[in-house]
Amino acid sequence: MRAHELSGTRIDKWLWAARFFKTRSLATEAVDGGRVQINGQRIKPAKEVKVGDRVEVSLGHDTRSVIVRGIAERRGSASVAQQLYEETSESIARCEEAGAMRRLQVEPALERQGRPTKRDRRDYTRWRGE
């Protein structure tokens, strides 16, 4: 069967085929964990996704909102996977804004200068109330 001939497929298979997750088991865990919604509703991994459905996927700090444009049972190349969905303009703006905020943040490890001194340890002990 070709991708455009299918009427629907399981959401975990579709997420894997659309390359949101590396493995189908990771996609299933995300759906079970409530990080994937179809049309604003929490779902189970066996839920069928159809063309025109709105899928929201939480990936780390970002939440991507996409409209399903194609159905595929198999995982194909990245260019084929990109044709399976269309990301909404709000989602694109949110991702760009989050990326800009991450670039502006200071890396916590850069704030520290070497090992803590004896004075730092005493201050920390005093702060903890020991």
Side-chain angles (χ1 to χ4, degrees):
M1 264 189 196
R2 296 198 170 194
H4 65 279
E5 293 174 4
L6 297 171
S7 63
T9 189
R10 291 173 56 113
I11 184 64
D12 57 348
K13 276 188 181 181
W14 186 84
L15 290 168
W16 170 71
R19 294 183 170 258
F20 282 97
F21 296 97
K22 277 187 170 185
T23 65
R24 192 165 153 207
S25 62
L26 287 175
T28 303
E29 286 177 21
V31 174
D32 281 334
R35 297 193 319 255
V36 179
Q37 294 183 346
I38 295 179
N39 299 324
Q41 294 183 354
R42 191 172 172 174
I43 50 156
K44 292 184 178 180
K47 172 76 173 164
E48 253 194 26
V49 64
K50 296 175 181 67
V51 174
D53 284 346
R54 183 185 185 109
V55 177
E56 292 185 25
V57 183
S58 294
L59 301 167
H61 297 292
D62 296 332
T63 300
R64 295 182 64 186
S65 182
V66 298
I67 306 294
V68 177
R69 295 293 177 214
I71 302 295
E73 289 270 335
R74 289 198 202 149
R75 187 174 172 112
S77 66
S79 59
V80 171
Q82 287 177 343
Q83 294 173 359
L84 296 179
Y85 63 90
E86 177 186 333
E87 193 164 4
T88 62
S89 57
E90 307 94 49
S91 176
I92 293 170
R94 215 176 25 239
C95 286
E96 287 175 356
E97 184 179 323
M101 293 300 287
R102 280 194 300 272
R103 282 190 291 278
L104 293 175
Q105 286 180 337
V106 176
E107 181 71 29
L110 295 176
E111 293 178 353
R112 295 198 68 185
Q113 300 293 322
R115 291 178 55 178
T117 62
K118 190 181 230 181
R119 183 180 192 180
D120 291 337
R121 182 182 56 79
R122 287 181 180 154
D123 289 343
Y124 178 68
T125 304
R126 217 174 296 120
W127 177 76
R128 285 183 42 191
E130 292 178 3

